[in-house]
Amino acid sequence: MAVGLFILAVIIQLATVLAIFLLSLSRVTGSIVAIIAVVVTAIISPWSLILGIPILLLCLVLLVAPLRQSLLTKPVYKALAGAMPSMSDTEREALDAGTSWWEKELFMGAPNWDTFANYPYPQLSAEEQSFIDNEVETLCAMIDEWKIHHDDKELSPKAWKFIKENGFLGLIIPKEYGGLEFTSYAQSRVMSKIASRSPTAAVTCMVPNSLGPGELLMHYGTDAQKQRWLPGLAKGEEVPCFGLTGPEAGSDAGAIPDTGVVCYGTHEGEQMLGLRMNFSKRWITLAPIATVVGLAFKMHDPEGLLGDPNKTDYGITCALVPASHEGVITGPRHNPIGSPFMNGTVDGTDVFIPLDYIIGGVENAGRGWRMLMECLGVGRGISLPALSTSASEMTYLSVGAFAKVREQFKISVGKFEGVQDATSRMASNTYMLEAFRHLVTCGLNQGGTPSVMTAMAKYYATETMRSVVNDGMDVVGGRAVQMGPRNFLAIPYQSIPVSITVEGANILTRSLMIFGQGAMRCHPYLFDELQLLQSEDKESALKEFDTLFFKHLGYTFNRGAKAFIAGYVGGSNDAPSFVDDFTRPYYKHINRLSASFALTADMALGLLAGDLKRKEMLSGRLADIHGHLFIATAILQFYEHGSKSEAERLHAEVALQNSLYTIQEAFVSFFANFPNRMAAGVVSFVTFPSGRIFTPASDELKTKLGDVFMDDHEANPFRDYLKTMVYYNTLPDDVSGRMEHAYQTLLEVEPLWQKFKKAEHKDSFEGLTFEDHVVNASQSGDITEEEAEQLIRYNGLRFDSLLTDVFDEHLEVAQERENPHSLENAVHKLTDYAQLKNDAQARNGTATNNTVAAADTQEQTGDANPDHGYESDGDVKMVDEQNTVEEIRGQADFDESNPEAEALDPRYRDAESTLNQRMSYNHSLDKADSDLPNHSDLTSTKTIAERAEEAKDSKWQDGLRRDENDKA
């Protein structure tokens, strides 16, 4: 009995502590509740004081300020202050720059789903949609990316003129200055569509709308500077670039050696106070053609000429300088891995500029780093993710078409499970990217400068794009590795390292920026605590720290309690109002993982402190957790606003499982490598008490998605949706349209094609070539004349879509590719295999009934045979004179023929090949929009029969060597 009461009392005490943490009771309220629980349980069982006394003592310390501060606050403050590295002004500005949005909710471990549900889903205005449907469509149609890459090495003058005159360089500039003032979502959509046609054109349009000075001028420029530059930038009369990086400063842009020293000098004939500039910038996009250059440099005033003799070093400052300014050197180009967008150098030695060239005037001297972190961070969340999404979507469309059209081992390559392992990954990743784009631009549309979210967008979008394009290269294989104007994958593949490197190298972004900056911007207490730890007024700081620190502890224990409960019963049921049966479990998982992340992040920050800055592998894993929590919510939001079809659910399910599994594995790896093994073990037990709970997508699920990847229209609405996001066409001579044209044609004839190929694979038809088999099937009545025409036409398109380019010996000029299987050339693929076989059987005494039938049939040929264009009275009427429907159809009447015999007779075969060639015209009589050759095209020179007759005299006929002594 006593033991039972003791156990009951201890359980009550522990439950009380857990409830205090779960309810987030204040320090005072929680302490009082705990004291009451100890007293009550002591009455139940005095032995419970074994645990109760330590609780009582802790509560007394927490309630009595002098005790609390001397025993807890001061030691903690001293230990953390010693562990924190000194922070430069640049680092402080970077950490303090920007705002936070939905990523903060996920970081804090208790996402508010009502807030999430009320986010306005990004949509285009009528003006924005019209611009994409017209101006962007027109620009895409006039661009040939192969010609840009291989021949011109730049955009054509026509494209440049169109870009400038139609506002492509002023998408973000307010209308009062002549710009278009599009939303972030519209800007992303514009860049995506251009990039789907030409990465070169997309980068050209991207820079002025993200990395260029326009953004800085709009937020920080003086009125005079805005009036001077923004109208010209909006109209394309001014072409901007921004010089930040250099030989000694890439990812560590804060280490730039470029300087501007305050001094007196002469400008336009006047003596004035200004800056003597020395700079050497590299990798600056649009620099070779820029008319105005933004410059980041470190500003110094050694003589105190600005009025403050105690302030000599102002820090990073931004200025705007005309490219024509004396001493500024632009023009030399870089060659960024073969991508011919304008990229080059900006140099200057002892260049004097007025102080009013500083963006925002002298008042903004030294604020350059914060300006860059906020404004360029916004661009980081739009432009490169848009380009990445576009590349993935074009890869989805093209590779999906290829996977269905291309056949190996008698089936479409997309049906092989090994291929589906890749294509299902491509499909789910592309779905994720489109979802990710929507949530990120949703946040940007609401204003603010969420630097952590945009860092996530840049890193995970470009890395995911790399995976999609790499998978696409694996699936397409040889068709993708041969460069040329037919290759739809090589240029995006070649450009991948540019996206990975620019606007913050991906390794740096993941290892340092996402979690490092995320902890400062998203944690409710950390940044303020850090400021207090580095304060010079220690006494005042200690009092504030005492309050913040215990709020921080309460927050940590609350998340720990939530994670502990979730580990046994699952996450909370909190979810948006639009939750359904499919999405509900995922919201529970996110609630659980978010609480676990908050606890784990606090453990890392508390135990490693400043060392976490150097533990980049650990920081990178925390970044993956935070990033994929955001991505999972993006997928759920996008699914809610989508078709909710079975096909889309498959995309979302695989994408969600991938994110959850990635989060779990990041947790596991983090705990396995955390230096404090005891702490890692405790937190690991709290967050994952039963071990791993998520698995990758099953083979069955990937197989289903791999099948859907090759579908279109109602079978895969997501593919139809993607067509609206990119420059989509089905032109048979276009780099992307060629494969799509073949694919769409296959969808039209697929039942017939599959039926025919199955029969063909069973050796049901005589002959050596596909065309032989079609003719034989037509003669046998297995297919109609129109079906035969459809098969030959599709086979020609299929073959052409799979052709790779060939060049001259110097790889300069792509050669025209002949398609031997086109409808016009199909006759040349017919062989006399059946005749040779028949003759051999006759010589060997193994003649079949077909041989006898052939002899009987030959007696019926001649003037009475309408298939040869003869009238019954023996008068010859030429083919081009037969223009009535009855006459033409009469030529394709095989009801009275003997197909088995005719297949063995060259005279019949020649006639049949002519008729197959002319089927296009026969059936186009009822087709107003037929794109098949007209009648005159088929008869303007020599008939197909005449050409086939000439071929008989060749030593080589239809791929079979004809011996000169062969009398057959």
Side-chain angles (χ1 to χ4, degrees), residues 863-909:
D863 294 350
N865 186 356
D867 298 343
H868 283 248
Y870 292 97
E871 297 292 307
S872 57
D873 59 3
D875 294 333
V876 176
K877 189 172 183 181
M878 301 305 294
V879 172
D880 58 356
E881 296 177 316
Q882 301 177 40
N883 50 20
T884 68
V885 174
E886 291 77 8
E887 288 174 322
I888 295 171
R889 286 180 176 170
Q891 297 176 55
D893 185 4
F894 305 112
D895 290 342
E896 302 299 323
S897 66
N898 188 319
E900 295 295 335
E902 290 170 3
L904 302 176
D905 187 80
R907 181 173 174 82
Y908 273 85
R909 292 188 60 79

Side-chain angles (χ1 to χ4, degrees), residues 501-766:
T501 303
V502 301
E503 294 194 40
N506 276 8
I507 289 177
L508 168 78
T509 302
R510 175 179 178 267
S511 299
L512 292 177
M513 289 185 63
I514 295 176
F515 181 76
Q517 201 168 18
M520 294 297 124
R521 299 309 313 157
C522 299
H523 197 287
Y525 307 110
L526 185 61
F527 184 75
D528 292 335
E529 289 173 328
L530 190 60
Q531 297 288 81
L532 292 173
L533 290 171
Q534 298 198 344
S535 173
E536 295 182 1
D537 185 356
K538 300 298 183 183
E539 185 175 346
S540 176
L542 185 62
K543 293 180 181 179
E544 293 184 50
F545 182 80
D546 180 60
T547 301
L548 274 178
F549 176 67
F550 284 100
K551 285 184 178 180
H552 188 162
L553 281 180
Y555 161 85
T556 302
F557 286 126
N558 171 259
R559 273 34 179 191
K562 286 186 174 182
F564 179 76
I565 295 298
Y568 289 95
V569 301
S572 74
N573 289 317
D574 292 344
S577 55
F578 52 68
V579 67
D580 59 23
D581 291 341
F582 168 64
T583 59
R584 188 181 301 279
Y586 293 104
Y587 286 108
K588 288 175 66 69
H589 293 320
I590 292 171
N591 288 331
R592 172 182 180 174
L593 294 170
S594 178
S596 298
F597 175 59
L599 175 64
T600 305
D602 259 14
M603 174 192 73
L605 292 165
L607 296 181
L608 295 182
D611 283 343
L612 187 57
K613 180 179 178 180
R614 291 177 287 275
K615 296 289 186 181
E616 295 181 13
M617 295 184 189
L618 294 179
S619 179
R621 294 182 182 107
L622 293 172
D624 288 341
I625 297 170
H626 195 188
H628 275 277
L629 282 171
F630 190 94
I631 287 169
T633 59
I635 296 168
L636 290 167
Q637 184 204 53
F638 186 67
Y639 175 81
E640 175 59 29
H641 289 86
S643 66
K644 292 190 176 181
S645 62
E646 175 65 18
E648 185 163 354
R649 187 193 64 76
L650 277 172
H651 284 80
E653 187 173 0
V654 175
L656 286 165
Q657 289 192 19
N658 175 65
S659 283
L660 295 180
Y661 183 74
T662 300
I663 292 169
Q664 171 186 267
E665 294 307 295
F667 270 118
V668 171
S669 296
F670 180 87
F671 294 139
N673 291 278
F674 195 73
N676 189 320
R677 304 305 306 143
M678 180 179 293
V682 171
V683 176
S684 175
F685 172 75
V686 168
T687 54
F688 290 92
S690 59
R692 287 179 169 88
I693 57 175
F694 302 113
T695 59
S698 67
D699 291 353
E700 181 183 4
L701 200 59
K702 288 191 287 187
T703 298
K704 289 180 179 178
L705 185 53
D707 287 338
V708 168
F709 180 72
M710 296 184 290
D711 288 336
D712 202 2
H713 308 309
E714 66 277 1
N716 184 5
F718 181 62
R719 191 178 197 276
D720 269 346
Y721 171 84
L722 292 183
K723 298 173 191 175
T724 68
M725 297 289 109
V726 299
Y727 179 72
Y728 175 81
N729 75 89
T730 57
L731 299 175
D733 294 325
D734 183 81
V735 60
S736 58
R738 178 179 286 106
M739 183 60 69
E740 187 68 13
H741 182 58
Y743 170 74
Q744 293 297 335
T745 304
L746 172 58
L747 295 182
E748 295 173 5
V749 302
E750 186 171 13
L752 171 64
W753 177 259
Q754 294 299 333
K755 172 186 173 183
F756 180 81
K757 294 300 287 185
K758 287 179 180 178
E760 188 180 43
H761 294 152
K762 293 178 180 179
D763 295 326
S764 301
F765 310 121
E766 290 283 2

Side-chain angles (χ1 to χ4, degrees), residues 63 192 214 234 240 277 381 413 435 450 452 462 514 526 555 676 749 904 944:
L63 290 171
S192 274
M277 306 282 293
V413 297
V452 177
T462 55
I514 295 176
L526 185 61
Y555 161 85
N676 189 320
V749 302
L904 302 176
I944 302 300

